Amino acid sequence: MTPTEDSFAPSTAEWYYPSEDISRQAYVTDYDALYKESMEDIEGFWARQAESLEWYQRWDKVLDRSEAPFFKWFVGGKTNIVLNALDRHVKTWRRNKMALIWEGEPGDKQTFSYWRLWQEVNKFGNVLRGMGVKKGDRVTIYMGRTPELIIAMLACAKIGAVHSVIYGGFSENAIADRIEDAQSRVMVTSDGAWLRGNIVELKKIADEAVKRSPIVETVIVVKRTGQPVNMQHGRDYWYHDLMALPIASPKCETEVMDAEDPLFILYTSGTTGKPKGILHTHGGYQVYTSTTLKYVFDIRDEDRYWCAADPGWITGHSYIVYAPLILGATGFMYEGAPTQPYPNRWWKMVEEYGITILYTAPTAIRGLMRFGDAWPNRHDLSSLRLLGSVGEPINPEAWRWYHKVIGKERSPIMDTWWQTETGGFMITPMPSVGLKPGSATRPFPGIDADVVDEEGNSCPPGVEGKLVIKQPWPSMLRTIYRDPERFKQQYWSTYAQQGWYLAGDAARKDKDGYFWIIGRMDEVIKVSGYRLGTAEIESGLVSHPAVAEAAVIGVPDEVRGNVVYAYCILKAGVQGSEELVDKLKEHVRHEIGPIAVPTKLEIVASLPKTKSGKIMRRVLKARAMGLPEGDTSTLEE
Ligand code: WTA
């Protein structure tokens, strides 16, 4: 692509500056100076951030590059993320501060002071220990957005177990694969979750998954929705029963962890095959997530911060659970759908709880925008100071609506670009930085990001290239669980010589150094901000007895960003029908989950393939969108 002033002029001309009162009081008032300072001594910069946290033992070395790309941070340091997220707060006045305010979809409410949350975590930590969970063991958590999900994650971390949280929108096969890969013997789930006025029967789905991955020996079940569920004697236990036992003492020794000991595995989609278990560790992750949240969302003690993501995705791990607690913030979490019972549910809660910071995804903004301005206008949203966006590029139209109707042209929007792999914000504004709608602006201090061509030359302004990170950062993924080769191959082989991290996104920089993320370059689709792999959906389809071959693509959609289109070739002798199409969709829902269900599923006689037999998804996508098919010289249909 050639740079044209034209294609860039409209967006670069449109600048927004945060209001004086917001930018002047921000932690970072001079981004350029801080960025420059950080790049002169990246290790020194991160060491200074790490010093604001507690360590059982200080590190000897900030960064060890000797086994690159297996970088190590804060080597020799001893800590535990829960030491910083809870233990240290209960020794101060913060014990009385609200850590978490929660509202269920039916309208029930709960609040947790730091003291109460700490006690619940201690109790559940003891329960897990009592069930034989030891340091390094993997625990699978599959729940809706309830406080017990957060308690379970923190309890694992506290006793040194490694949590693997599976988003509540996934189903049987997706769960079974993840349990199997993590070799997890204990699972925490709930009877159900409320969504759009209905119950999602999580325990039923979990039972099916465990049937397929019988490695699970113990299932702990939180009672949330109360409908009868199957409890298998000797395997399944009610959470509330266990929490009432004498072993569930409110005092629990925090496991002393090495900075580089694993904290969690989070499965995400990649280019091929099965989901990969992204591994994060205690030390670097706690430093990076808390620093980024502090500087970008400018967290104050008086804030009421709402990250509306799901804890089952990285956004929730980093910015609902760990970073806000490390900073001693007050967080808000809501269980259900934004439109339940009416499209003003979010705005009603912003008003009722006096939310000051709202962090959500473009798909949610677009979804709510559709219902018009009247719903938010019925509510007093003046408590909002900062807004945030994550998950996919935000289109300028949604940006402007969010800025005007929700933020009343007063609250700047922090459009944060990052990934499961990066652990925290990488390219992001801060409250004192000039904004351009649709741009994630510039890299966070300490982050050496660039857009480069195939050879690794920096692309000139306006030219599309590959987004890379040229220097390690503390919360970078350490490996893909049990697959270090794939880790090297996937992220570090493209620019092996330079030692750069390949993000997998295409991007452009403009003449002001602002980054414009274009989107994924691989077979990853962002549906409503959720990350899905075409390969996982394809193998879900092929697992149906009627399907011989399947191809899945993402097609742009106004509200959801992308939707899934699927093309199936049937096995010889199987007759295609409307009914079969419905059955196949249902099969995907059952195997992978509702978010993966194709919007359109077509039964076809053949698929566009290269001469070597690879499906040309690019051609399918062009056809679906009615665009020219481009270079089809390698096509053999
Ligand atoms: C996309 C989510 C544009 C990007 C935290 C990335 C974004 C993928 C943005 C990672 C943004 C995330 N602007 N694109 N602000 N944030 N993305 O692992 O394609 O679920 O590679 O992490 O989301 O998705 P993941």
Side-chain angles (χ1 to χ4, degrees):
M1 179 165 286
T2 45
T4 58
E5 266 304 311
D6 254 346
S7 63
F8 256 67
S11 346
T12 43
E14 192 180 348
W15 282 93
Y16 288 81
Y17 292 95
S19 68
E20 270 267 300
D21 57 323
I22 288 174
S23 58
R24 214 178 15 202
Q25 65 136 33
Y27 285 112
V28 177
T29 48
D30 188 346
Y31 164 83
D32 293 295
L34 186 66
Y35 187 77
K36 185 161 172 281
E37 176 198 317
S38 73
M39 296 317 283
E40 278 159 10
D41 178 12
I42 293 183
E43 291 178 31
F45 175 77
W46 291 117
R48 281 195 296 286
Q49 310 307 319
E51 266 154 22
S52 66
L53 298 182
E54 269 186 36
W55 300 76
Y56 295 115
Q57 186 183 303
R58 202 188 149 90
W59 55 93
D60 313 310
K61 199 170 181 353
V62 178
L63 171 62
D64 178 357
R65 297 173 182 263
S66 62
E67 288 164 59
F70 299 95
F71 296 97
K72 295 193 186 83
W73 283 87
F74 306 110
V75 184
K78 301 266 185 227
T79 188
N80 184 310
I81 199 162
V82 177
L83 166 69
N84 284 296
L86 294 174
D87 296 353
R88 65 170 177 161
H89 297 316
V90 297
K91 292 190 213 132
T92 71
W93 64 271
R94 279 213 172 85
R95 68 203 331 226
N96 292 329
K97 188 181 166 176
M98 239 154 358
L100 177 67
I101 306 170
W102 176 82
E103 186 168 306
E105 196 183 79
D108 45 337
K109 297 168 188 187
Q110 284 199 59
T111 52
F112 291 79
S113 62
Y114 271 88
W115 181 262
R116 179 177 174 205
L117 186 60
W118 178 69
Q119 292 225 319
E120 296 295 318
V121 167
N122 288 346
K123 289 174 69 174
F124 196 55
N126 285 323
V127 165
L128 289 173
R129 271 193 182 133
M131 305 220 105
V133 177
K134 292 184 304 294
K135 179 174 174 173
D137 288 351
R138 279 82 52 213
V139 174
T140 297
I141 303 175
Y142 175 64
M143 290 169 80
R145 274 194 293 265
T146 53
E148 290 83 359
L149 168 53
I150 296 180
I151 292 166
M153 289 167 73
L154 292 163
C156 287
K158 180 147 194 166
I159 65 166
V162 178
H163 57 70
S164 163
V165 180
I166 302 173
Y167 170 60
F170 278 124
S171 34
E172 291 172 35
N173 199 40
I175 304 168
D177 275 354
R178 287 157 173 79
I179 292 174
E180 200 61 44
D181 188 79
Q183 292 288 297
S184 159
R185 288 181 297 113
V186 176
M187 181 168 185
V188 188
T189 186
S190 58
D191 53 351
W194 286 107
L195 191 67
R196 285 181 215 98
N198 299 312
I199 290 172
V200 183
E201 296 196 75
L202 297 177
K203 175 64 166 64
K204 212 165 151 185
I205 300 168
D207 282 344
E208 289 300 318
V210 171
K211 222 184 261 167
R212 294 190 195 189
S213 289
I215 180 174
V216 173
E217 293 161 5
T218 306
V219 180
I220 301 172
V221 188
V222 173
K223 188 173 258 179
R224 165 64 188 138
T225 40
Q227 83 282 12
V229 292
N230 158 59
M231 294 292 279
Q232 188 176 311
H233 186 72
R235 185 196 72 184
D236 300 352
Y237 302 85
W238 286 109
Y239 176 90
H240 58 263
D241 285 344
L242 298 172
M243 291 289 269
L245 293 175
I247 52 155
S249 137
K251 284 214 171 72
C252 173
E253 193 83 20
T254 304
E255 196 78 36
V256 175
M257 306 298 279
D258 229 75
E260 281 294 312
D261 276 337
L263 168 63
F264 65 82
I265 304 167
L266 184 55
Y267 286 89
T268 191
S269 319
T271 303
T272 52
K274 292 201 167 176
K276 34 188 190 180
I278 304 299
L279 187 92
H280 285 287
T281 59
H282 278 256
Y285 180 81
Q286 64 177 2
V287 173
Y288 194 87
T289 54
S290 60
T291 307
T292 46
L293 184 65
K294 179 175 170 180
Y295 289 165
V296 173
F297 282 112
D298 205 44
I299 300 279
R300 312 275 158 175
D301 267 322
E302 53 278 26
D303 273 319
R304 288 183 157 207
Y305 160 77
W306 181 11
C307 169
D310 193 283
W313 299 87
I314 192 67
T315 310
H317 278 57
S318 300
Y319 298 112
I320 294 178
V321 182
Y322 289 112
L325 294 175
I326 294 171
L327 296 176
T330 297
F332 173 73
M333 184 164 78
Y334 165 60
E335 178 184 32
T339 49
Q340 185 66 24
Y342 301 108
N344 67 329
R345 181 63 182 268
W346 272 22
W347 317 127
K348 187 166 168 265
M349 292 188 298
V350 166
E351 177 174 15
E352 177 174 343
Y353 294 102
I355 302 297
T356 57
I357 302 165
L358 175 65
Y359 182 34
T360 182
T363 183
I365 299 160
R366 290 191 297 259
L368 291 167
M369 187 170 97
R370 257 193 328 173
F371 294 103
D373 301 1
W375 291 104
N377 285 346
R378 277 170 55 181
H379 297 277
D380 176 5
L381 306 180
S382 62
S383 57
L384 289 171
R385 187 173 95 253
L386 295 171
L387 301 173
S389 173
V390 61
E392 55 178 320
I394 179 165
N395 45 311
E397 194 197 344
W399 195 101
R400 286 185 210 107
W401 185 82
Y402 195 27
H403 187 254
K404 182 160 174 246
V405 179
I406 307 306
K408 313 294 175 200
E409 296 180 335
R410 205 181 79 87
S411 305
I413 298 171
M414 304 297 116
D415 178 0
T416 61
W417 175 86
W418 58 295
Q419 308 177 295
T420 308
E421 291 87 341
T422 70
F425 312 149
M426 300 295 280
I427 300 178
T428 172
M430 290 187 198
S432 55
V433 161
L435 305 173
K436 304 182 191 188
S439 166
T441 75
R442 286 176 293 170
F444 193 80
I447 298 302
D448 190 358
D450 200 1
V451 176
V452 300
D453 64 16
E454 300 292 330
E455 283 78 50
N457 307 306
S458 292
C459 293
V463 176
E464 178 177 339
K466 294 185 163 85
L467 182 57
V468 294
I469 312 294
K470 296 180 168 176
Q471 290 291 332
W473 65 101
S475 65
M476 62 201 304
L477 77 162
R478 296 304 192 265
T479 190
I480 292 176
Y481 190 61
R482 300 205 309 173
D483 203 348
E485 267 317 305
R486 190 171 170 197
F487 166 74
K488 282 206 273 193
Q489 165 56 28
Q490 183 106 42
Y491 305 105
W492 304 96
S493 64
T494 310
Y495 298 105
Q497 225 160 13
Q498 298 94 329
W500 298 341
Y501 168 85
L502 179 78
D505 279 328
R508 292 188 198 108
K509 276 206 305 189
D510 67 20
K511 55 186 186 315
D512 300 312
Y514 276 50
F515 286 73
W516 298 78
I517 311 296
I518 296 165
R520 300 289 310 185
M521 298 183 303
D522 52 12
E523 305 306 333
V524 169
I525 321 177
K526 283 291 195 140
V527 179
S528 300
Y530 295 133
R531 182 164 161 183
L532 297 170
T534 53
E536 201 178 8
I537 307 174
E538 285 163 4
S539 51
L541 281 165
V542 174
S543 74
H544 190 279
V547 178
E549 204 173 352
V552 163
I553 55 168
V555 175
D557 176 83
E558 232 175 71
V559 174
R560 288 187 278 173
N562 292 284
V563 289
V564 174
Y565 277 23
Y567 303 86
C568 297
I569 300 178
L570 300 180
K571 284 197 182 140
V574 182
Q575 208 49 39
S577 65
E578 276 301 307
E579 209 190 333
L580 180 61
V581 166
D582 290 341
K583 267 196 197 142
L584 293 178
K585 287 186 181 177
E586 191 45 42
H587 183 68
V588 174
R589 177 188 310 275
H590 189 258
E591 293 290 303
I592 321 262
I595 43 164
V597 175
T599 307
K600 187 169 140 185
L601 194 149
E602 220 178 289
I603 291 171
V604 293
S606 69
L607 289 165
K609 285 186 184 167
T610 61
K611 297 196 171 81
S612 57
K614 270 179 80 178
I615 295 171
M616 293 180 83
R617 292 192 186 76
R618 179 176 61 76
V619 172
L620 280 174
K621 192 165 170 174
R623 286 180 191 170
M625 294 169 65
L627 296 172
E629 290 181 13
D631 177 14
T632 49
S633 55
T634 57
L635 185 68
E636 176 164 291
E637 196 138 1

